[in-house]
Amino acid sequence: MRKRNFILLALFSLLIVLGGCSRRDTSQKIITTTVNTYKEPIQSVVGDKYQVESIIKSVNVDPHSFSASSNNAKQVADSRLIVANGLGYDDWVEKIVAANSQENNMIDFSRDVLKKKDGDNEHVWFGVKNVQELSRAVYKHMAKVDPKNRAYYQANFKEYYLKLNRLIQREKALKKYTAGKKAYVTEPLPYYLLKDLDVTIANQHFAKAIEEDTDPSIKDVKNMEIGLNNHKVSFLVVNKQVTSGIITKMTTLAKKHHVPIIYFTETLPSDLGYYSWMDQNISQIERIVKE
């Protein structure tokens, strides 16, 4: 998890926001997810019974350094269900949930659904099977709090689950080309996707340093430069939402030595749902390994 430089004023302001949150109005049919990545999986299950709203909706917002507003806090307080990523990725929402006694209406995707622990890779949405399990958890939760529509939620869940299966089948077919390959990543964003494709991340120390906002070691930088110079990896994956001098240096080096570059975003562009976004991510890798 990337280090954050919290300042006293920001913490005090957040406490004021939390302390001023109104009690939720259960008549409102709003479901909140911290990031837009999960909007489609949730909406696909609840259909027209609830409106799903994301707090972070743009690729121009860094979820790691996001600060909630009073409007965000009120939205969480008024929500029938809150879905968070967990593992420190969006821990600001936990404070709002606790301040409004909404714990029973919150799903922590990583901890509650996937049983992940602190220190595990937080970018769980890059695993399609993981998102299938999120949709199952949403169905079970809604069936419990709104039992009269249980059959409706179940049918929607099954339909979306099967839709995501199409992506999983694509990954299985692609694995014939990717199994055993190595890649560099600017940070461990696509960990779960590459793992499903049996691709090894060959610069884990470098990637972890970038994620934590620290400088990679001289040794890690040198090893990566040598690897790009000598084509020791099949491609480089870059997070488009994070830039720095060292990342620019590595992308420039990759281009110079004709190492293919794949660009991923951490959150979804506003015009894409999860399925289309992951479909495009898989297609990028497919085009490279099949050339």
Side-chain angles (χ1 to χ4, degrees), residues 72-96:
N72 298 147
K74 186 178 186 306
Q75 179 181 329
V76 170
D78 291 343
S79 294
R80 195 68 185 87
L81 171 66
I82 303 100
V83 176
N85 185 81
L87 298 179
Y89 190 75
D90 44 16
D91 52 6
W92 48 268
V93 78
E94 295 176 15
K95 300 178 178 69
I96 304 175

Side-chain angles (χ1 to χ4, degrees), residues 60-72:
N60 298 318
V61 178
D62 184 354
H64 297 275
S65 58
F66 178 78
S67 294
S69 68
S70 57
N71 286 337
N72 298 147

Side-chain angles (χ1 to χ4, degrees), residues 137-186:
V138 170
Y139 148 59
K140 288 183 176 180
H141 180 90
M142 297 310 299
K144 183 186 298 184
V145 300
D146 184 15
K148 68 178 181 180
N149 288 307
R150 177 187 179 91
Y152 176 78
Y153 299 134
Q154 184 179 44
N156 288 347
F157 155 66
K158 288 182 177 179
E159 182 178 353
Y160 191 68
Y161 190 96
L162 291 174
K163 180 177 180 179
L164 291 181
N165 264 346
R166 297 203 291 268
L167 292 177
I168 293 173
Q169 293 307 314
R170 286 196 64 200
E171 290 179 345
K172 287 181 178 179
L174 183 56
K175 194 173 180 179
K176 297 175 183 178
Y177 299 88
T178 58
K181 291 187 180 297
K182 296 180 180 181
Y184 285 148
V185 298
T186 57

Side-chain angles (χ1 to χ4, degrees), residues 17-31:
V17 168
L18 298 180
C21 289
S22 60
R23 297 293 297 168
R24 65 186 181 276
D25 177 359
T26 54
S27 66
Q28 294 196 38
K29 292 200 169 184
I30 298 173
I31 292 175

